[in-house]
Structures are given as C-alpha cells and as structure tokens.
Amino acid sequence: MGVLTTGMGGDSLSLRAAMMRESLQKSQTITDSVVSILGSFDHRLSALETAMRPTQIRTHSIRKAHENIDKTLKAAEVILAQFDLSRQAESKILRGPREDLESYLEAIDQLRSNIRFFSSNKGFKSSDGVLSQANSLLAKAISKLEDEFKQLLLSYSKPVEPERLFDCLPNSLRPSSGSPGDYSGKNPSNNHAEHHNNSLENAVYTPPTLIPPRVLPLLHDLAQQMFQAGHQQQLLIIYRDTRSSVLEESLHKLGVEKLSKDDVQKMQWEILEAKIGNWIHYMRIAVKLLFAGERKVCDQMFEAFDSLGDQCFAEVTRSSVSVLLSFGEAIANSKRSPEKLFVLLDMYEIMRELHSEIETIFIGKACAEIRESASSLTKRLAQTAKKTFGDFEEAVERDATKTAVSDGTVHPLTSYVINYVKFLFDYQSTLKQLFKEFENGDEGGSQLASVTMQIMQALQTNLDGKSKQYRDPSLTHLFLMNNIHYMVRSVRRSEAKDLLGDDWVQRHRRIVQQHANQYKRNAWGKILQCLSIQGLTSSGGGSSVAGDGGSSGVSRAIVKDRFKTFNMQFEELHQKQSQWTVPDTELRESLRLAVAEVLLPAYRSFIKRYGPLVESGKNPQKYIRYAAEDLERMLGEFFEGKNVNEPKR
C-alpha cells in the first residue's frame, strides 16, 4: 500500500515537470517570434523615417520662408508708415507756421522722429536719400520757425511808456505830474531825508509785464525748437537785437541820455546836479522795474535751456547798463569839488541800495562782467566821496575868498560850511559806512565826529585869519563873536550837537562871550575914560567951581572939553557901528544891553556931577548935547547894518 502511494506521487511530479518544460518551450517560441516581429517593425520604421526626411526638410523651409515674408511685410509696413508720416509732415511744413503754428510744431517733431528712424535703419536701400531730404526739409522748417519767432517777438515787444513805469513805483517816488522832466526840479540832497524814511524801505515795486503772458508759452515752444535744432546763436541774436533796442527805447523815453566824460566835464554844475538827481531815479526804475521785468521774461522763455537765458539777458541789458553806469563813472572820475559830495553820497547810496537786486537779477557767468561793473562803480563813488570829504576840510582851512564883510556879520564861508555840515547829518549812516570801509573796521561814528570837529576847527582857523583884515580891533572881535555864535547856535539846533557833544558847545559859548567882552573893551574903553573923574582937577588958568557936590577944584574948561570929546566919539561910534551888523536878534540885544549897562550909568553920573559947571555957562547945549535917554535910543540903532547914506533916524 505504501509502495503504491510512493509511485503515484513520483508520476505526478514528472508530469508536472514535463508540462513545465513544454510551457517554457512555447514561451521561448513566442518570445523569439515577437523579437522577430519587433526587429522587422524597427527595420520598417527606419525605412519609413528615411523615406519621410526630405518631406520634413521641405516643410521646415516653407515655414521659415513664411516667417521671413511676415517679418519683411511688417518692416515694409513700418517704413511705408514713416513715408506716409513724412509726407504729412512735409505738407504741413510747406504750408508754413502762420496758418497753424501748433500743427507746424507737431510736424517738426514728426520729421525729427523720421530722421531718427532712418538713421537707425541704415540697411534700407534708400535711407541716405530719405535722410538727406528729411534734413533739408527740417532746415527749411527751422528757418521758417526763426522768421516766425522773430516776427512774433517783434510784434509783442513795445517800449514801456514813462507813465506806466511811474505807476509801478511807490507813491513817494512818483513825480508830481507824472512826467520824466519833473525829476529835474528836485535837488537830491534836499529830498534825501524824504527818500530815506521807513516807508520807502518797505516800498513795493511791481515790475511791468513786458510781453503778454498768453504769448510767452508760444515763444518758449518756438525757442525750444530752435534750441533743439542747434540754432542757439541765431536765437540769441534775434532775441538780443529785438529786446535790447526796445529796452533802450524805454529808457530813452524816460529821459536817459548817452553822455560822455567830456560832456559831463563841460556841463554847468546846476544842470549837472539836476541830471545826477534824475540818474538816481533812472537807476532805481531801470533795476527794480525794467531789468527785473526782462529777467522774468528770460526765465520764462528760456526755462531749462541750460545757461542760454542768462546769456540772452546779459546781451539784452548790456548796452543799457553801460549807458547808466558810464554816467556814474564820469561823475566819479570828474574834477572833485565840495558841492559834489552830497550827490556822490546820493549816488553811492542808490548803488548800495540796488546791490542785492543787481546780484540777484544779473546771476550767472554771462552777467559776471555787468555785476563787476556795478560793484566797481560803487567802490569808485565811495573813494571819490571820501576824498571829496577830505578835500573839503583842507579847502575850508585854506579858503582865501576876498568876499568883503565890512559890517562884521556872518561870513559866507561860515554859513556855507555850517550848512554843509548840517547836510552831512542827513547822510550819517552812509558816512559811517564809508569810514567803516576805509578805516580798517574802526567805528564809523567816532570817525565822523572826529572829522566834523576838524572841519569846525579849520573854519575857526580861517576866520581868525580873516578877522585880521579889519583895522578896527573892536570890529575884529565883533566879527569873530558873530561867526562863532552862528556856529554854536547852528550846532545846538541840529544833530551835530549829539556828535560834537555838550562840551564843544559850552567851550565855544565861552569863546563868544570872550569876543563880546573884547569888543566892549576895545570899542567903549576910550569913550568911558571921558566920563572918568581922573584928570578933571584944574592945574590953574581956568575957572573952577568950589564946594559943588564933589566937583570942587574941577576945571570948567576941562569938563567942557570932556563933553565935547564924548559927543564927538559917541557920534563917530554911532555912525560907524550903526553900519556894523549883529544878525542874531538875541545876541544883538544882549550886546546893546551890555554896552548900555556900562555907558548910561557912567554918563548919568557924569552929567549929575559936572553938568552944573557947563549949564551955568554960555551955550550949555553945545556941550551937553544928549540926555541919557537920547543915548539909549541911539544905542538901539547900533549893529543894524544901516547904509552910510541912509538918513539918521
């Protein structure tokens, strides 16, 4: 039983192994068959690929050709479009800018765009010819544009009438009737204080509109096209020639003249002084109104044009500035004389007043020469003014005028110098500035005080010399009393008192009193001796009166002689000194009073004491000719400056 089981199990295994072998053989056969089929298929694919390759190559070439054709067509369309735009631009340009300026400017921009296009597409067969034609057309367009710019600028550039300029000034600086000639009647020195008040410092100036605001943008666009075309020089010339002549005409209408140094030298002082006064006003109007207005126009018209605006402004204003400054230079370089000091100071002041505005308006390298010219004139005026001031002190001390002051009154030199000094105090700040600049930073105020004292001392020195011309010592002292009193009174009533000080005033008042005392001593000393009791005692030979109120032993003859001498001397004094002058009322009265206080009591005492000696004799009126009241009345006629030929009162 067991053996059978074992045999059946072995057969089963063999059977399964045989089946497996058979399966493996079939699988191998299938594999070989598939490999064979796949190998055959690969061969056929390779053959097919070989067969299709020419077709693929042709298809790729066709695609590439189509792409190239598309690109060429597109490029041709762009070029044709540029040609079309060129034709449109050409059509507009040929019509000119007058018809439609905005469209004309657009056409120029388009033409420039076309030129840039063809310049960057040099491969185009006809690009050189197209560029040549386009550039030629652009040159014509810019030429027409220049003509249009010139015509437009010219038509809107008109001189500014003086009345319009005066309306732009603060009220205090406007001429009374609104005409330029009104300035000539004003003495700049007389009006100095008026023109330097606080209101003027804050005054508002409104520059006139020189070109209508609506036109400026258009002119700017035209200028920009010319600038882009490289026509800066043509633009500068057109602008300069047009605007400079208009500016010069505006100043001419105002009254500005071209005067040479020789013209100035030959001119009479009164005429020249008036022209200097006008020049000061012209400078203010030119800088604050006309030049400021021109600067504004330049800034707007040449905005963002590099430095062309500065250059155009410098070219436009150069001639006008030169005319104004050359007159100032002619005055600064002319022969110095004392009366010129005040106008020199006026001119110096206006240049200093305008300094910051000149620096602001004339900015940039192109205007450097103009700024330097203005600065140079300011310095020159300062130097000349300072030298003139120094000349004045020297001239006062050396003055040798032969003007006769026979009546002992205030000498013309004294009144001239004092008025001169009083005028100086209207220019205190300016003079202090001058001294500060030239005296190594020293305080200007102390320098001014020192120079003023020197001038006063120079005047006194000169007056001392002039006083010696009088033969009569009493007139010498009356002359000095009058003149120094005039100096003291003038100083006390002016700002000079603060500068010279109370000490100066008090010292010179004492000098006046000393001369008054010297006058009394010299003029009245001799006549008072006639009323003295000395020498009246008889030495014999003449009748005398005894026991008569202290007149005992007094000779009647000597008394008579004394009365006669007194009458003769008083009449002589009266005749002479009635022609002398003490111009100051207060001083005149005080001097008469001082004489009366000495003379009248002595005369009354003499008559009371010795009159009876004469009255008891023959013809007493021959000796006692005047009562004390008569003398007092006649003293009231002294120092009146009466003419010799006038009848006695």
Side-chain angles (χ1 to χ4, degrees):
M1 189 67 186
V3 173
L4 181 61
T5 304
T6 304
M8 287 178 71
D11 290 342
S12 178
L13 284 170
S14 297
L15 182 61
R16 285 158 68 183
M19 288 173 70
M20 286 180 70
R21 275 197 303 273
E22 186 180 347
S23 295
L24 284 170
Q25 285 172 355
K26 284 181 181 178
S27 178
Q28 184 65 50
T29 302
I30 291 167
T31 300
D32 291 342
S33 180
V34 169
V35 167
S36 175
I37 291 166
L38 286 172
S40 172
F41 187 65
D42 182 56
H43 178 73
R44 281 181 296 206
L45 278 175
S46 178
L48 180 63
E49 188 179 80
T50 302
M52 287 188 69
R53 186 169 289 122
T55 305
Q56 288 174 337
I57 290 168
R58 283 196 301 274
T59 303
H60 181 71
S61 298
I62 290 166
R63 190 185 304 117
K64 283 288 182 184
H66 275 293
E67 287 176 1
N68 288 335
I69 288 166
D70 286 343
K71 285 180 180 177
T72 303
L73 286 172
K74 285 178 181 175
E77 283 175 7
V78 171
I79 291 168
L80 288 171
Q82 288 295 325
F83 274 116
D84 188 45
L85 289 169
S86 292
R87 280 195 299 273
Q88 290 175 21
E90 184 177 8
S91 174
K92 290 178 183 177
I93 286 166
L94 291 175
R95 283 200 298 269
R98 190 59 51 84
E99 189 177 313
D100 184 356
L101 184 57
E102 188 176 348
S103 178
Y104 189 86
L105 293 174
E106 287 174 2
I108 290 176
D109 283 336
Q110 183 57 57
L111 198 56
R112 283 206 176 95
S113 175
N114 293 345
I115 289 168
R116 285 193 297 273
F117 173 80
F118 287 112
S119 295
S120 61
N121 288 278
K122 288 285 188 179
F124 176 58
K125 188 177 180 181
S126 303
S127 61
D128 288 343
V130 171
L131 278 169
S132 176
Q133 186 180 357
N135 279 313
S136 175
L137 184 61
L138 182 61
K140 289 178 184 175
I142 297 300
S143 178
K144 287 185 178 182
L145 209 61
E146 282 182 15
D147 292 339
E148 182 64 16
F149 178 79
K150 184 176 182 179
Q151 191 57 42
L152 196 63
L153 184 65
L154 195 61
S155 63
Y156 285 102
S157 293
K158 304 295 179 190
V160 186
E161 295 298 325
E163 291 76 13
R164 217 177 123 214
L165 289 171
F166 299 151
D167 288 341
C168 299
L169 292 169
N171 289 331
S172 60
L173 288 175
R174 294 179 191 177
S176 54
S177 68
S179 63
D182 273 22
Y183 282 133
S184 62
K186 293 186 177 182
N187 182 319
S189 298
N190 292 341
N191 290 295
H192 181 269
E194 172 196 341
H195 286 173
H196 286 75
N197 53 30
N198 292 331
S199 64
L200 192 61
E201 291 175 10
N202 303 315
V204 176
Y205 297 82
T206 312
T209 302
L210 302 179
I211 292 179
R214 61 185 175 81
V215 181
L216 269 173
L218 193 57
L219 286 166
H220 171 271
D221 291 344
L222 291 170
Q224 194 169 37
Q225 290 290 352
M226 292 170 66
F227 184 78
Q228 287 173 0
H231 288 213
Q232 289 96 326
Q233 196 60 32
Q234 293 93 317
L235 180 58
L236 173 64
I237 291 168
I238 292 169
Y239 190 80
R240 177 197 66 200
D241 291 351
T242 305
R243 292 302 306 164
S244 64
S245 61
V246 169
L247 177 58
E248 285 170 25
E249 182 61 22
S250 297
L251 288 169
H252 178 70
K253 281 175 174 281
L254 188 64
V256 175
E257 302 172 89
K258 289 184 180 179
L259 295 171
S260 68
K261 187 179 178 182
D262 288 341
D263 293 332
V264 169
Q265 294 281 22
K266 293 172 186 174
M267 212 169 282
Q268 290 182 357
W269 170 241
E270 293 75 15
I271 297 171
L272 187 59
E273 186 179 27
K275 288 191 181 297
I276 293 169
N278 285 342
W279 179 86
I280 289 164
H281 293 291
Y282 297 156
M283 280 299 298
R284 190 179 278 117
I285 289 171
V287 173
K288 291 179 179 283
L289 301 181
L290 287 171
F291 296 157
E294 287 292 344
R295 180 85 240 185
K296 191 176 178 183
V297 169
C298 272
D299 287 347
Q300 291 175 322
M301 194 174 298
F302 302 107
E303 188 181 1
F305 282 22
D306 298 329
S307 60
L308 184 63
D310 290 344
Q311 197 175 352
C312 283
F313 178 69
E315 292 286 336
V316 165
T317 54
R318 183 170 282 115
S319 175
S320 295
V321 171
S322 176
V323 169
L324 287 164
L325 296 186
S326 64
F327 177 80
E329 288 286 351
I331 299 298
N333 293 319
S334 63
K335 186 179 178 182
R336 296 196 303 271
S337 60
E339 66 270 13
K340 284 184 183 174
L341 177 61
F342 302 109
V343 293
L344 285 166
L345 292 173
D346 284 329
M347 292 170 78
Y348 173 69
E349 280 185 350
I350 192 65
M351 291 305 295
R352 286 197 70 230
E353 178 189 326
L354 298 174
H355 173 74
S356 62
E357 279 159 298
I358 288 171
E359 292 289 312
T360 303
I361 294 170
F362 292 91
I363 54 171
K365 188 178 178 182
C367 298
E369 187 181 331
I370 294 174
R371 291 195 304 274
E372 181 54 39
S373 295
S375 178
S376 173
L377 174 59
T378 308
K379 289 174 185 174
R380 188 79 188 93
L381 288 166
Q383 289 167 348
T384 307
K386 187 172 184 298
K387 286 177 182 176
T388 303
F389 199 53
D391 291 346
F392 180 67
E393 179 196 334
E394 190 176 324
V396 169
E397 188 162 352
R398 294 185 179 181
D399 175 75
T401 51
K402 301 297 181 183
T403 307
V405 188
S406 57
D407 60 354
T409 190
V410 175
H411 196 278
L413 177 67
T414 306
S415 55
Y416 176 75
V417 171
I418 294 301
N419 285 334
Y420 200 91
V421 169
K422 286 198 301 193
F423 265 139
L424 287 176
F425 289 96
D426 285 340
Y427 295 86
Q428 274 194 77
S429 60
T430 305
L431 287 165
K432 286 174 184 176
Q433 180 66 31
L434 274 179
F435 287 120
K436 202 171 180 181
E437 285 181 14
F438 291 105
E439 299 296 334
N440 300 320
D442 288 349
E443 277 300 315
S446 61
Q447 285 291 324
L448 181 58
S450 174
V451 172
T452 305
M453 283 189 180
Q454 288 168 22
I455 289 173
M456 296 298 236
Q457 185 54 53
L459 176 58
Q460 277 183 257
T461 302
N462 189 285
L463 291 171
D464 284 340
K466 283 181 168 46
S467 71
K468 292 178 173 59
Q469 296 172 358
Y470 299 110
R471 293 179 181 178
D472 189 331
S474 55
L475 185 55
T476 293
H477 291 291
L478 189 81
F479 171 78
L480 290 171
M481 177 198 74
N482 275 331
N483 281 268
I484 296 171
H485 178 267
Y486 182 84
M487 291 167 66
V488 171
R489 187 191 63 179
S490 299
V491 166
R492 286 179 64 196
R493 294 178 180 178
S494 73
E495 293 179 71
K497 182 182 178 183
D498 297 329
L499 204 64
L500 296 173
D502 283 331
D503 181 59
W504 185 95
V505 172
Q506 294 305 323
R507 190 167 69 252
H508 284 78
R509 286 180 77 176
R510 287 195 294 272
I511 293 172
V512 171
Q513 189 58 52
Q514 286 166 10
H515 284 300
N517 293 339
Q518 287 288 86
Y519 155 78
K520 283 189 297 180
R521 203 170 290 122
N522 281 278
W524 298 94
K526 191 175 178 183
I527 197 173
L528 286 171
Q529 286 177 2
C530 294
L531 305 176
S532 167
I533 61 171
Q534 291 178 352
L536 288 178
T537 307
S538 172
S539 56
S543 62
S544 62
V545 178
D548 188 8
S551 59
S552 57
V554 173
S555 166
R556 180 182 282 108
I558 293 176
V559 169
K560 285 181 179 180
D561 188 57
R562 287 284 186 92
F563 274 114
K564 282 173 69 177
T565 303
F566 175 86
N567 293 336
M568 181 185 69
Q569 289 185 1
F570 184 80
E571 285 165 5
E572 185 181 324
L573 284 170
H574 176 264
Q575 184 188 22
K576 185 164 51 175
Q577 296 197 30
S578 293
Q579 297 172 46
W580 294 359
T581 303
V582 177
D584 184 79
T585 307
E586 189 179 333
L587 182 62
R588 184 169 63 244
E589 289 302 323
S590 67
L591 194 61
R592 286 172 180 167
L593 184 61
V595 172
E597 284 176 346
V598 175
L599 179 68
L600 297 181
Y603 186 69
R604 286 192 181 99
S605 175
F606 193 82
I607 285 182
K608 184 177 180 181
R609 193 167 186 178
Y610 303 111
L613 282 176
V614 178
E615 287 168 350
S616 61
K618 293 179 181 179
N619 302 320
Q621 68 277 7
K622 180 180 176 181
Y623 305 102
I624 306 176
R625 193 175 295 176
Y626 301 105
E629 292 72 24
D630 295 326
L631 295 183
E632 189 172 12
R633 176 183 57 77
M634 291 174 76
L635 280 176
E637 296 174 349
F638 276 54
F639 320 126
E640 288 284 354
K642 265 176 45 175
N643 192 292
V644 180
N645 298 321
E646 283 183 17
K648 291 182 181 179
R649 297 182 200 175

